[in-house]
Amino acid sequence: MTESSYPFFAEEIQKFGEKDFETMPRSEEKRLQASLNYFTRKVRSILEAIDMDASIAKDMKTNEKIKRLVELRDKILFLKLIRIELENEEDAYLIFETLNTRGKDLELKDLLKNHFTKLIKKGPVDFVKLKWSELLSTLNNSELDIDPDTFLTHSWSSRFEATTQQKAFKKIKADINKKNAKEHLTDFVEDSKHYLALFNPETGWEKGQVEIVRSLQAMRTFRITQHTPGVLSLVRANKRNLISDKSLKRALKAIENFHFLFTAVTSSRSSGGISSMYSSFGRKLFETDSSNAAGLVISDLIEKLKERKPSLSEFVAAFELIIYTNSHTKQSALVRYILQKLAAHEGLAYADDLSVLTIEHIYPQSKMSERWSNEVVGSLGNLILLTAKDNRDLGDREFHEKIKSLNNLGASVPKFVLGAHEWTPDVVQSRTRQMAEIAYNEIWKIV
């Protein structure tokens, strides 16, 4: 509590209520204010990322924010610093790596930075410090919380040998030496930009690459990770002009469609073969030196995805179990994604942007019963997309009353609904099955 800065610190930073007196910030206080602003932006970015993450249900966002803040607080409160004085620089590198075998593991990013610092001589410009700061700064620009260690593992797996985060340093260290250290570090920095384009696609692509962005967004909705080394390799190849936008779209669409069938709907589990397939694909694509060769590698991946997709009967059975109600919102992002795709396939026209449409339950949630259970009312066959106004206007009316208003909306209501003479659980089940078959055979085909 220094006399010079303490009044400012207490009044402007620590206090939540009204200030007792005004303080005049000088250079010392301005640095404190700058630090406060810096950390406020960082913390706010964590909270905003949760708001924008479609994979987190709306009713869980507050709990997730509290969880992240508690984790951050605990990291600070339980932080311990250890000071070790050594005679020379070589011992410093050795001690740093040795600490990894004592107690708490050091993070991969710290071990790798240390390894690069040991191999690359410091000149007038600190090459390692400059490049490493660029890499971390790029990853921190994402709306989502990207873990640098996960990125480094994915980057290496997409170019060389597949590895886990726990084994990554040992494998990477064995291959990086004084001759190639600068090249490898530069490649990691380049990959960080491509990685950002995967997880923050809204800002990483041009206006004419909308389909690419939509596929990447869909993969985020599915909450998958095993595809990352393969997709990273695809983005890298596109940015290096090895493959065209058309080839990238084709590959991403196949991956999106496969994981919709395999992961998002049927929740199929892999024994590790999927992850190995993507890492192998990533390395093969990285090693190609021509567009023709890259095209063959992509076609081979697509054939493997076709072989692994679930059967129609498996898909339909799982599709029928997807529900969305006020008491069951866990699958809301997936339900919206499915309804949007089905609407686009049928050529429905909406006055509003698809992303702001609301989900309408044709048979209302407020009238659930033993016959109209949560599972029936929330199933996809009972759901359509409407504007917020149209949804409010329909209210909780019976179907014979609703259908008159729905007919007036015409082009924005599915034909199946408009052609129905009654709305029963059997009709809902029939529509759900029909939607599933169209989804499997037409919309999410792997080609």
Side-chain angles (χ1 to χ4, degrees):
M1 297 182 185
T2 60
E3 290 187 10
S4 60
S5 65
Y6 179 67
F8 175 86
F9 185 77
E11 290 294 316
E12 302 290 339
I13 295 178
Q14 288 188 310
K15 185 170 286 185
F16 285 94
E18 293 184 10
K19 292 180 283 189
D20 291 330
F21 54 85
E22 292 294 327
T23 55
M24 293 295 292
R26 294 165 294 183
S27 59
E28 186 176 355
E29 285 85 355
K30 286 178 181 177
R31 288 195 293 273
L32 284 170
Q33 187 65 52
S35 297
L36 174 65
N37 293 341
Y38 172 81
F39 287 112
T40 299
R41 286 196 308 272
K42 289 293 184 183
V43 173
R44 188 173 290 136
S45 69
I46 294 172
L47 304 182
E48 289 174 350
I50 294 170
D51 283 328
M52 299 185 71
D53 191 346
S55 66
I56 302 174
K58 285 185 179 180
D59 59 345
M60 294 301 295
K61 289 187 184 289
T62 299
N63 289 338
E64 185 64 24
K65 288 178 182 180
I66 294 170
K67 177 185 171 186
R68 297 278 180 92
L69 291 173
V70 169
E71 287 174 354
L72 178 60
R73 180 201 64 189
D74 290 347
K75 284 181 180 179
I76 295 168
L77 292 180
F78 295 103
L79 176 68
K80 291 185 179 180
L81 299 178
I82 302 172
R83 178 185 175 91
I84 302 174
E85 295 186 6
L86 299 165
E87 300 262 333
N88 58 68
E89 195 173 356
E90 285 297 319
D91 285 346
Y93 299 126
L94 182 61
I95 288 291
F96 189 83
E97 287 187 22
T98 303
L99 286 172
N100 194 38
T101 63
R102 306 287 189 270
K104 183 172 175 58
D105 286 351
L106 293 168
E107 293 184 336
L108 176 60
K109 70 176 190 294
D110 298 320
L111 290 166
L112 272 182
K113 182 185 177 184
N114 177 67
H115 188 57
F116 280 121
T117 304
K118 180 170 64 174
L119 296 174
I120 301 172
K121 287 186 178 181
K122 189 186 296 184
V125 176
D126 192 334
F127 183 83
V128 175
K129 182 179 179 181
L130 194 68
K131 287 294 184 182
W132 207 255
S133 296
E134 183 183 350
L135 183 152
L136 294 180
S137 176
T138 299
L139 297 179
N140 287 335
N141 280 334
S142 173
E143 295 170 355
L144 302 179
D145 188 15
I146 295 179
D147 176 33
D149 287 3
T150 303
F151 155 70
L152 292 164
T153 305
H154 284 156
S155 174
W156 189 263
S157 296
S158 74
R159 292 179 287 132
F160 303 104
E161 184 181 1
T163 182
T164 62
Q165 201 164 301
Q166 291 72 26
K167 298 177 181 178
F169 178 64
K170 185 176 181 181
K171 291 189 176 183
I172 296 172
K173 180 185 175 184
D175 286 342
I176 297 179
N177 52 50
K178 288 183 178 180
K179 290 183 179 180
N180 62 26
K182 274 194 174 183
E183 181 184 350
H184 278 294
L185 180 52
T186 301
D187 286 343
F188 274 127
V189 173
E190 180 195 344
D191 266 3
S192 69
K193 297 177 176 65
H194 305 327
Y195 203 77
L196 185 65
L198 265 66
F199 292 96
N200 197 25
E202 293 82 0
T203 58
W205 302 91
E206 302 295 330
K207 289 183 179 179
Q209 298 173 310
V210 176
E211 290 181 49
I212 292 170
V213 172
R214 285 175 180 164
S215 286
L216 293 172
Q217 288 172 330
M219 293 172 204
R220 276 174 50 182
T221 300
F222 303 158
R223 304 182 192 183
I224 53 175
T225 58
Q226 64 266 55
H227 72 305
T228 307
V231 175
L232 175 58
S233 197
L234 280 165
V235 172
R236 183 195 302 122
N238 177 256
K239 299 293 186 183
R240 289 181 175 180
N241 296 317
L242 181 66
I243 64 172
S244 64
D245 281 3
K246 183 179 179 181
S247 293
L248 178 60
K249 288 175 191 175
R250 178 182 175 231
L252 292 181
K253 181 57 66 176
I255 295 170
E256 174 192 351
N257 290 357
F258 169 75
H259 281 288
F260 172 74
L261 303 172
F262 185 86
T263 309
V265 176
T266 61
S267 301
S268 301
R269 295 189 176 275
S270 166
S271 59
I274 299 293
S275 296
S276 298
M277 175 187 69
Y278 281 122
S279 291
S280 175
F281 162 73
R283 294 194 303 277
K284 288 177 182 176
L285 186 61
F286 176 69
E287 291 167 359
T288 59
D289 55 5
S290 71
S291 297
N292 288 338
L296 292 174
V297 173
I298 290 172
S299 294
D300 182 58
L301 171 70
I302 293 173
E303 287 304 314
K304 287 177 179 174
L305 294 175
K306 288 179 184 178
E307 293 170 4
R308 291 174 179 267
K309 72 175 182 179
S311 67
L312 174 60
S313 59
E314 289 175 306
F315 176 79
V316 171
F319 192 89
E320 290 176 327
L321 297 177
I322 297 173
I323 63 171
Y324 170 73
T325 61
N326 290 337
S327 61
H328 197 292
T329 61
K330 186 177 180 181
Q331 294 176 296
S332 60
L334 177 63
V335 167
R336 178 175 292 277
Y337 166 79
I338 293 171
L339 293 177
Q340 287 177 349
K341 288 280 191 178
L342 285 162
H345 181 72
E346 192 170 335
L348 300 183
Y350 295 95
D352 287 5
D353 177 17
L354 275 170
S355 63
V356 298
L357 293 176
T358 60
I359 299 174
E360 156 72 0
H361 292 75
I362 300 172
Y363 184 89
Q365 298 181 75
S366 61
K367 297 183 178 180
M368 285 186 193
S369 62
E370 185 176 344
R371 182 171 179 241
W372 284 96
S373 64
N374 186 68
E375 289 73 21
V376 176
V377 174
S379 66
L380 285 159
N382 191 48
L383 307 178
I384 58 173
L385 291 174
L386 288 179
T387 66
K389 180 183 180 303
D390 291 336
N391 202 334
R392 285 194 302 271
D393 290 345
L394 287 176
D396 292 348
R397 288 180 285 167
E398 295 292 335
F399 180 72
H400 68 274
E401 296 175 326
K402 273 189 178 182
I403 195 64
K404 297 174 184 176
S405 298
L406 291 173
N407 272 303
N408 291 333
L409 298 175
S412 58
V413 180
K415 293 176 183 176
F416 185 101
V417 178
L418 295 178
H421 300 295
E422 60 177 350
W423 202 253
T424 65
D426 287 341
V427 171
V428 170
Q429 187 177 22
S430 176
R431 180 174 182 240
T432 303
R433 190 176 296 110
Q434 183 189 83
M435 292 164 75
E437 290 175 356
I438 291 172
Y440 188 90
N441 295 320
E442 300 177 35
I443 303 177
W444 283 276
K445 284 178 64 176
I446 302 173
V447 293

